[in-house]
Amino acid sequence: MKEIKYNVIWIDDEWTKMSAFKDECEVIHGIHLEPFTTQKSGMEELDRNLNSWDAVILDAKMFDESEDETPKLDGLRKAIRHIDQLSMKKSIPYFISTGQPDLMDNDTFSQSFGHFYVKEKDDLELIDKLKEAIDSTPRRQVQSLYSDAIEQLSKIAPDAKEAILDIFEAMHFPDMHKDFKPVLYYNQLRQILESVFRVANKVEIIPDVCIPNDVVNLNQCCHYLSGNNAKQLGIRYGAKNERVVPKHIQDIMFLILSLGNTNSHTVQLNEDEEKTLSEYIHTNVYNSKYLIYSLALQVCEVVMWMNRYISTHQNIEENRRMCQSIQIDTQKDETSEAHLSEGIIEPLENNLFYCRIGSNYCINANYAKRNNLIGKKVLVIEKEENKDKNTKEQFPFFATKVKQLE
């Protein structure tokens, strides 16, 4: 059987009588036909999994909502109207294939519904036109342009490629995506990063301790892969100066984390975090479309680099031995001046993501707000090195846990 390249919804109440056509599509042309007997069931599937389908084949006279009805043109009209309404989200080519003798020479039908194909007689032409139409759609063109990256994305998670394709389609065809909202995709890039870490964990390039209770600690995974001390977990990769990822991959990963969400334990943005991100982008980013386009390209580099590394490092025992325990300092801050680990949490000017604690620490602004700590004096209990290039020069440490003092 030829590799499936096209996925097509096929609405025809007599599809079971056309097994030869279905087999020819799949075996010879790589077209998977998913049959439905009613307009309603076919359109419901299209709505559920819009990005999974490339085209629709419609019988002229079909059942509308139930097989108890008489097949007629009402179902065809509704299906075409529904497909047209979806064009704002995705352009889906459709084709009418009929075996009805009363329609074959009917000019009124042709004028009303456009070109149609006669079953058996026009099957090859239908197949050729279907493949041609799908290959010329914006999404298929983008998929072809980035085929190497899309193939790698498909390996790590079923939905990973769809977010990237959305972004690339908006980048290459901006006039067709004027309603594109970049802010909705930062979190999806984090989800792709999470999927990469889960694949790496299967062969323990990333150890199990980084995914407690099946929740990926994104921050600590990034530190571990970068050869830093994963201080929250008390581990590091190998000896000093040993690392899994090169510096440019490290920088990309931490950039995605800092823009997508400052919470290191989850990929999900709550309502406050999404609002904060939107405000940050509005205030600090010249054009959020360019930023998300560049990040999507960088995510592809991370995925392709990591997939290659994982494929060449399949020895679980060797990977497991690279995980080294480190001492976790449970005492107060190492500085001899105790007051440096104490301070009042104050909003940070021109930065909605962070608040400050004195002159050495910044802290997640949403965390401080949720716990009603703004304006309160706190003691820093746990910290990590600040990796945010926008704030690390002013604040070398990021407070991950604090205790209110007054």
Side-chain angles (χ1 to χ4, degrees):
M1 178 181 288
K2 190 167 183 175
E3 179 187 359
I4 296 298
K5 292 179 59 179
Y6 310 95
N7 290 295
V8 177
I9 287 177
W10 181 25
I11 305 177
D12 195 311
D13 60 295
E14 296 185 333
W15 69 266
T16 55
K17 299 177 182 179
M18 293 177 282
S19 58
F21 174 67
K22 189 174 189 298
D23 291 343
E24 180 179 356
C25 285
E26 296 192 354
V27 175
I28 299 176
H29 301 282
I31 302 171
H32 169 66
L33 298 179
E34 187 70 22
F36 296 88
T37 55
T38 69
Q39 173 273 144
K40 185 174 184 289
S41 59
M43 291 301 100
E44 286 176 345
E45 169 57 26
L46 187 61
D47 287 339
R48 279 193 301 269
N49 300 292
L50 183 59
N51 285 329
S52 299
W53 300 107
D54 300 308
V56 179
I57 296 177
L58 302 166
D59 189 13
K61 291 184 178 180
M62 66 173 74
F63 293 130
D64 183 13
E65 297 187 357
S66 167
E67 295 183 18
D68 295 330
E69 303 167 351
T70 300
K72 49 187 179 180
L73 295 177
D74 289 350
L76 177 63
R77 290 193 183 91
K78 289 183 179 180
I80 292 174
R81 184 165 61 248
H82 193 92
I83 293 169
D84 288 341
Q85 289 170 347
L86 290 173
S87 62
M88 292 296 292
K89 297 180 180 179
K90 181 181 178 181
S91 178
I92 301 287
Y94 65 86
F95 302 84
I96 301 171
S97 176
T98 182
Q100 297 291 333
D102 59 319
L103 298 178
M104 292 178 186
D105 297 314
N106 189 324
D107 290 338
T108 302
F109 177 79
S110 181
Q111 290 169 8
S112 299
F113 296 98
H115 185 72
F116 63 91
Y117 301 85
V118 178
K119 292 177 181 178
E120 296 185 349
K121 175 177 174 288
D122 297 331
D123 284 353
L124 286 178
E125 182 186 359
L126 169 61
I127 290 170
D128 288 342
K129 293 298 183 181
L130 183 144
K131 291 192 294 184
E132 182 182 310
I134 294 173
D135 288 338
S136 65
T137 60
R139 200 168 193 84
R140 185 59 63 130
Q141 291 182 56
V142 168
Q143 191 165 338
S144 178
L145 280 172
Y146 301 97
S147 58
D148 53 351
I150 298 305
E151 180 181 354
Q152 296 295 316
L153 284 159
S154 299
K155 291 180 180 179
I156 67 165
D159 297 330
K161 72 174 185 179
E162 300 303 336
I164 296 297
L165 285 172
D166 285 349
I167 296 169
F168 286 167
E169 197 174 331
M171 179 172 69
H172 286 280
F173 300 94
D175 288 343
M176 299 179 65
H177 296 276
K178 293 181 179 179
D179 59 344
F180 177 68
K181 296 181 180 178
V183 71
L184 301 178
Y185 288 89
Y186 290 96
N187 199 40
Q188 295 193 48
L189 297 186
R190 285 173 61 92
Q191 292 178 34
I192 292 174
L193 203 59
E194 180 197 21
S195 297
V196 171
F197 293 164
R198 288 188 182 277
V199 173
N201 171 250
K202 290 180 180 179
V203 291
E204 295 216 30
I205 291 171
I206 289 177
D208 290 341
V209 68
C210 290
I211 311 180
N213 300 316
D214 200 38
V215 177
V216 178
N217 189 319
L218 299 175
N219 176 282
Q220 295 295 278
C221 286
C222 288
H223 279 298
Y224 182 81
L225 293 174
S226 303
N228 303 329
N229 289 338
K231 296 179 182 179
Q232 293 177 14
L233 304 176
I235 60 171
R236 63 161 292 119
Y237 176 84
K240 188 176 180 180
N241 297 324
E242 287 190 290
R243 54 166 59 223
V244 174
V245 301
K247 182 68 163 55
H248 76 282
I249 298 294
Q250 170 188 326
D251 291 343
I252 293 170
M253 293 190 304
F254 277 110
L255 178 59
I256 292 168
L257 293 196
S258 68
L259 282 171
N261 179 4
T262 54
N263 186 335
S264 65
H265 297 279
T266 179
V267 296
Q268 296 300 325
L269 290 174
N270 61 38
E271 188 174 324
D272 289 341
E273 289 167 333
E274 187 171 311
K275 181 180 179 182
T276 299
L277 177 60
S278 297
E279 291 174 347
Y280 174 83
I281 291 172
H282 178 74
T283 304
N284 298 281
V285 178
Y286 176 74
N287 190 314
S288 58
K289 290 183 180 180
Y290 294 147
L291 180 59
I292 201 69
Y293 297 159
S294 66
L295 283 176
L297 289 164
Q298 291 178 77
V299 164
C300 289
E301 172 65 15
V302 171
V303 169
M304 296 177 74
W305 194 97
M306 283 296 299
N307 278 356
R308 182 179 63 183
Y309 184 90
I310 292 167
S311 69
T312 57
H313 293 76
Q314 292 285 301
N315 191 313
I316 292 177
E317 289 303 319
E318 286 186 10
N319 295 336
R320 189 176 288 152
R321 281 196 293 270
M322 295 307 295
C323 182
Q324 306 295 315
S325 297
I326 59 173
Q327 286 294 111
I328 303 177
D329 184 5
T330 58
Q331 303 301 313
K332 287 180 70 173
D333 204 67
E334 294 176 354
T335 177
S336 58
E337 299 182 60
H339 71 275
L340 291 180
S341 61
E342 299 178 1
I344 296 174
I345 295 184
E346 302 173 294
L348 191 58
E349 186 177 357
N350 295 326
N351 192 318
L352 296 172
F353 271 65
Y354 301 112
C355 290
R356 66 185 296 158
I357 306 174
S359 59
N360 282 276
Y361 297 90
C362 61
I363 188 170
N364 184 312
N366 285 315
Y367 172 85
K369 291 175 184 176
R370 285 197 304 271
N371 291 279
N372 196 29
L373 293 173
I374 304 295
K376 305 292 177 60
K377 187 175 183 180
V378 298
L379 170 68
V380 176
I381 303 298
E382 295 179 7
K383 72 179 192 309
E384 61 185 40
E385 182 183 353
N386 186 1
K387 295 290 186 178
D388 188 324
K389 65 180 181 180
N390 296 315
T391 59
K392 66 181 181 181
E393 290 187 7
Q394 183 179 2
F395 304 102
F397 301 109
F398 182 82
T400 56
K401 186 176 181 181
V402 298
K403 175 182 177 183
Q404 186 176 339
L405 294 179
E406 59 180 40

